[in-house]
Amino acid sequence: MPAQPLPSLQGHATGEVSPGPNHVAIIMDGNGRWAKARSLPRGAGHKRGADAVRRVVTASVGLGVSYLTLFGFSSENWQRPPAEVRDLMGLLRYYLEREVAELSREGVRFRVIGDRARLPAETVALIEAAESSTAHNTRLQLTIALSYGSRQEMVAAAKSLAKDCAEGRLAPDAIDETMFAKRLFTDGIPDPDLLIRTSGEQRISNFLLWQLAYTELVFTETLWPDFGQDDLAAAIETFRNRDRRYGAVTT
Ligand code: IPE
Ligand code: IPE
Ligand code: MG
């Protein structure tokens, strides 16, 4: 049988220098170390981290990025001390209350992915309000991953497919990559072209494991609270010099 490209990779141009990225994902790491280096509480690092979010959203609009996905809080981050979790949830509420109107004026559509059942009810209400009030915006889709874990997301997708099969609505052989991807939180969002992780750590930490299959990875030493437009532009420049091959041979 002749080799067929994988369905999810069809349509990609191989071996060409990409002008994008259309979708940038960021693991925003290093808030705690930023604070520690200044003898400040970790919460101070998270607060400065929220300022960096603001800068990077605006910079992304300016740099022509269409989708920006930020890892804000992982499923595993629930294990942190309760006071730190409270600080982070408080910051999130503050951000949702104060910043969404301004983001909306900049043309930003807001979306949250992750397990909402674990988030405080008041936060979920603010998220839903932000999602509906910005639903008409088209300049940049900002997706924040909160209480998000990629393995949990994939297990939930598998469960929902299994349920459809067990109840006779779906034939197991009909399951393909497109159908699986539609059961993920990221349904409707293209896969990231570029993933940036700050703070010198070089791991994925349970973020978008399915979606990152052919994403270009860029690791930077900059701690997240120090990250700004120049760092984003530098990562994008690195991305543009990469040769994306998707498994094919290029000349
Ligand atoms: C990233 O900074 C923010 C979250 C994970 C919520 P960290 O809090 O992980 O900072 P470090 O890694 O301890 O420096
Ligand atoms: C990943 O950072 C999660 C977020 C950035 C929200 P962590 O700081 O939690 O990851 P590990 O523990 O270093 O892998
Ligand atoms: Mg960290």
Side-chain angles (χ1 to χ4, degrees), residues 164-206:
D164 282 357
C165 290
E167 292 170 8
R169 285 189 295 273
L170 179 63
D173 281 343
I175 297 171
D176 61 11
E177 290 183 20
T178 305
M179 193 183 287
F180 187 83
K182 285 189 85 61
R183 308 272 171 138
L184 301 174
F185 289 125
T186 47
D187 179 29
I189 303 174
D191 289 343
D193 300 295
L194 166 64
L195 172 78
I196 302 167
R197 183 166 187 154
T198 59
S199 86
E201 308 298 348
Q202 301 193 3
R203 55 178 169 266
I204 303 296
S205 301
N206 202 17

Side-chain angles (χ1 to χ4, degrees), residues 68-97:
L68 176 67
T69 300
L70 303 176
F71 203 4
F73 191 86
S74 73
S75 305
E76 292 71 28
N77 289 150
W78 289 112
Q79 301 168 59
R80 292 191 179 196
E84 180 167 351
V85 172
R86 265 199 307 277
D87 269 359
L88 284 163
M89 291 299 144
L91 257 179
L92 172 64
R93 269 199 303 277
Y94 181 87
Y95 195 81
L96 287 167
E97 281 165 352

Side-chain angles (χ1 to χ4, degrees), residues 29-30 33 80:
D29 200 11
R33 278 162 283 166
R80 292 191 179 196

